[in-house]
Amino acid sequence: MDIDAFSAVHGDKWSRLHFLAHKRRLTGAEADELLRLYQTVSGHLSLIRSVAPETGLSASLSAALAQARTRFTGARSNFMEDLARFFVISLPAAFYRIRWLTMWCGLAFVLVAGAYALWIGTSPEALRAVASSDAKVQQYVEEDFIDYYSENPAASFAGLVWTNNAWISAQAVAFGITGFWVPFILFMNAQGLGIAAGLFLATGKMDIFFSYILPHGLMELTAVFIACAAGLKIFWAMVRPGPRTRLQAVADEGRSLITIALGLVLVLLVSGIVEGFVTPSPLPVWAKITIGALVLAGYWAYTLVLGGKAVRAGVTGDMDDNDAGYRSIAA
């Protein structure tokens, strides 16, 4: 086959395909023409490649065909647009949908931790069950608890805290469907914090306890509550699926809450940075607590303002149809 003669005969069709493939808007007739040209030029490319597989002409036609294909199969959105949509719409909507459940998890945590703190802080018998001697209590309150925040370099400590808390949150989301894992995580963490608070209460040094816990703990614990709320949401979808099938309800909520799991990675990164760099810093206590409070206020403003607006617009935080696996196929 003479490539030059073949190009002279069909060059107008190739040019037309290129033009339509790159045109911003197509009329109905032009869309039909583009589809016909795509089928025709695909045949031309096959013939050319059978004679000369690697040529500039075949590469040019391949590019034109690829562009044409995106016009009638649908091109994926720009990465930066997807990123902006995730942070401005999907993530705050997902946070907003579980806001009340997040608060209930937080309330349960505070009640359990407070009960343990009062029990250990006011009962000598309970205190002895936790620490065998007054010396052990003093060592924990005056050395061990405080040294925990400064015994490692700030950057590595922040990374360690981040990965540990991200792992706990991931478990809450992933195993929430079991129904018992979330209460277990909440109880164990509340118990641990309550015991620590009880030791400080027994020695009359609660001010030191709060000065080290509040700067990072306000956001860090809230992140744990969010993860627990997400896990419980999946469990409740299985228990009460509503008009959906049980499998569909779990799948819908699971996809939406994957968004939360991804968002929590960043939330915990921020709280890890505060714990690594702010909590052990020489800043005044009021300044450290203010930083922690501002971080928490920023989260709730983000959730209630952007999330509320997105939910009212019908966003759930779920993936779009293509990513979720639903596709409409034209015959």
Side-chain angles (χ1 to χ4, degrees), residues 197-243:
L199 294 176
F200 277 88
L201 180 61
T203 56
K205 296 182 178 180
M206 285 298 289
D207 56 331
I208 297 177
F209 175 78
F210 285 123
S211 71
Y212 277 89
I213 286 294
L214 291 180
H216 64 275
L218 290 172
M219 189 67 255
E220 180 179 279
L221 290 174
T222 299
V224 173
F225 305 153
I226 295 166
C228 289
L232 290 176
K233 187 77 171 175
I234 298 176
F235 171 70
W236 192 245
M238 182 181 68
V239 175
R240 293 287 298 274

Side-chain angles (χ1 to χ4, degrees), residues 114-131 134 137 195 197-199 201-203:
Y116 267 95
L118 286 173
W119 179 41
I120 294 171
T122 58
S123 170
E125 293 79 8
L127 183 62
R128 289 292 175 269
V130 174
D134 291 341
V137 175
I195 291 173
L199 294 176
L201 180 61
T203 56

Side-chain angles (χ1 to χ4, degrees), residues 6-192:
F6 192 74
S7 300
V9 172
H10 299 291
D12 291 342
K13 294 179 181 178
W14 302 343
S15 297
R16 181 64 176 170
L17 174 71
H18 185 275
F19 172 77
L20 292 176
H22 290 82
K23 187 177 180 182
R24 188 175 184 83
R25 294 183 181 277
L26 297 175
T27 65
E30 288 173 334
D32 291 339
E33 182 184 4
L34 177 62
L35 183 57
R36 290 194 299 270
L37 285 171
Y38 176 83
Q39 295 170 334
T40 300
V41 176
S42 293
H44 295 167
L45 179 60
S46 296
L47 287 173
I48 292 172
R49 282 180 168 170
S50 66
V51 177
E54 301 297 334
T55 64
L57 177 59
S58 64
S60 176
L61 290 179
S62 293
L65 287 168
Q67 178 63 27
R69 186 163 55 250
T70 63
R71 299 303 301 271
F72 48 77
T73 60
R76 292 304 305 269
S77 58
N78 180 272
F79 170 75
M80 295 306 296
E81 292 176 357
D82 289 342
L83 197 63
R85 176 179 174 79
F86 176 81
F87 285 108
V88 177
I89 299 176
S90 299
L91 181 58
F95 283 153
Y96 185 85
R97 290 180 63 230
I98 60 169
R99 65 196 185 283
W100 291 114
L101 198 49
T102 298
M103 293 179 185
W104 281 113
C105 288
L107 178 60
F109 182 96
V110 170
L111 290 176
V112 172
Y116 267 95
L118 286 173
W119 179 41
I120 294 171
T122 58
S123 170
E125 293 79 8
L127 183 62
R128 289 292 175 269
V130 174
S132 58
S133 65
D134 291 341
K136 291 287 187 182
V137 175
Q138 292 297 327
Q139 180 180 347
Y140 178 80
V141 170
E142 296 177 1
E143 298 178 25
D144 296 349
F145 183 84
I146 296 173
D147 291 345
Y148 168 76
Y149 295 99
S150 57
E151 61 186 0
N152 293 307
S156 61
F157 179 62
L160 178 65
V161 168
W162 177 33
T163 53
N164 178 65
N165 289 329
W167 171 238
I168 293 174
S169 299
Q171 290 181 67
V173 175
F175 301 130
I177 195 171
T178 63
F180 71 86
W181 193 255
V182 166
F184 174 74
I185 287 178
L186 275 177
F187 179 81
M188 293 303 294
N189 281 274
Q191 182 188 54

